[in-house]
Amino acid sequence: VYDHHQFPAKYHGSLIICDWSMGRIIAVQLQPNGATYDGSKTETLVTGNPLNVSDIEVGPDGSIVFTTGGRGTEGGVYRLRAAGSTPTAAQANSVNELLDLPQLHAAWAREIASKAKAAAGESWNAELESAVRTGSPAHQVQALTLLSQIGPAPTLELLVEAATAEDPGVRAFAAWLLSYHSSETARATLISLLGDSSPRVQRRACEALVRSDQQGTADALLPLLSSEDRFLRFAARLALERLPADQWKEKVLALQDDRARLTGLL
């Protein structure tokens, strides 16, 4: 996923795909769509004959670096830069600067973050937790990611608070991280998120219940089986299957209008 600044804004958040067989690199410009994303808008960034792309990464300066080769062919390493750009390597020396560090999931970005953590000392936790509570949605997610990747892991109390954030993206990420907790508090929070206004948050809550080996409730999960979003329906079904059948079977049979959608469950 391109999460840097060198390329034009339309590529930010795009999924960059290597097509080895057809010799091309494709940018899929993802758009939120219910509980998932719409990937119908695509653009070919590079094509060649041959261009047997075998791996790809985003460098510290925002350039896309890719390799070619395989099946006895000659390999190569290439760099793709935006026309007219003046690439500058990303850097961050403080916690505040880390909140805007691009490509945070890259190995080079984690190394930068680790050095900034060492420099921050005891203020590391407090500054990131403050960003989770009061920052912009992007900074909230970035701060939670830094705590998750570099440590210490965000506390249950912080995640419960983040699960009530105004932005659905923050709530969805908090739900995902709650899957690392198996307490009754985490379970209750996830059950409450099953009734969220965002299908993506509801889906993450279903998935988190499954990942943390916890049970939701039939009353909270059954309405999701009637959702127009098939990804949410599927996630809810998996969560519901973890409950004893006597807690939901009769209620499902009573949903006459939805039986066609539930035939695989009964």
Side-chain angles (χ1 to χ4, degrees):
V1 175
Y2 191 85
D3 189 29
H4 216 292
H5 312 303
Q6 184 195 133
F7 279 45
K10 69 175 182 176
Y11 297 109
H12 297 178
S14 292
L15 182 64
I16 311 298
I17 298 178
C18 302
D19 186 346
W20 190 93
S21 297
M22 301 301 293
R24 56 183 180 167
I25 297 175
I26 304 169
V28 182
Q29 297 173 16
L30 299 173
Q31 298 295 326
N33 182 20
T36 185
Y37 291 85
D38 184 336
S40 60
K41 188 175 182 180
T42 66
E43 179 181 338
T44 299
L45 290 179
V46 184
T47 185
N49 187 18
L51 189 73
N52 43 347
V53 192
S54 56
D55 202 1
I56 197 163
E57 183 58 273
V58 179
D61 66 354
S63 299
I64 292 178
V65 181
F66 63 93
T67 60
T68 61
R71 296 189 180 178
T73 62
E74 182 177 358
V77 182
Y78 300 88
R79 180 172 60 182
L80 177 63
R81 297 194 302 193
S85 65
T86 304
T88 303
Q91 57 181 345
N93 300 309
S94 67
V95 174
N96 188 56
E97 292 176 346
L98 281 178
L99 295 176
D100 294 308
L101 182 69
Q103 217 65 39
L104 190 56
H105 293 284
W108 56 262
R110 292 197 298 270
E111 183 176 354
I112 291 174
S114 295
K115 292 179 180 178
K117 177 185 178 182
E122 296 182 357
S123 67
W124 169 262
N125 277 30
E127 291 188 58
L128 287 178
E129 289 183 2
S130 176
V132 173
R133 292 187 169 100
T134 63
S136 65
H139 284 177
Q140 288 177 290
V141 172
Q142 187 91 331
L144 286 171
T145 302
L146 285 164
L147 288 169
S148 302
Q149 289 191 349
I150 312 299
T155 64
L156 175 59
E157 179 185 7
L158 185 65
L159 293 177
V160 169
E161 190 171 343
T164 64
E166 182 177 351
D167 184 78
V170 178
R171 298 198 302 274
F173 193 39
W176 180 252
L177 293 177
L178 280 168
S179 66
Y180 293 101
H181 296 267
S182 56
S183 68
E184 181 57 33
T185 298
R187 175 178 176 269
T189 302
L190 290 172
I191 291 174
S192 70
L193 290 176
L194 293 176
D196 196 272
S197 59
S198 166
R200 182 154 54 114
V201 176
Q202 293 174 304
R203 176 185 177 183
R204 287 299 186 215
C206 290
E207 294 170 338
L209 285 168
V210 173
R211 292 185 72 215
S212 59
D213 196 23
Q214 298 189 100
Q215 293 183 349
T217 64
D219 288 341
L221 288 167
L222 283 173
L224 304 184
L225 297 179
S226 299
S227 170
E228 294 297 323
D229 192 304
R230 66 186 180 93
F231 294 93
L232 176 54
R233 293 200 306 271
F234 181 75
R237 168 180 164 172
L238 293 182
L240 187 64
E241 286 176 346
R242 305 182 69 81
L243 275 67
D246 59 8
Q247 293 185 19
W248 52 263
K249 188 173 181 180
E250 293 303 320
K251 295 179 181 179
V252 170
L253 289 172
L255 298 175
Q256 297 295 331
D257 293 341
D258 293 328
R259 291 190 65 183
R261 292 176 177 169
L262 305 173
T263 51
L265 181 65
L266 298 177

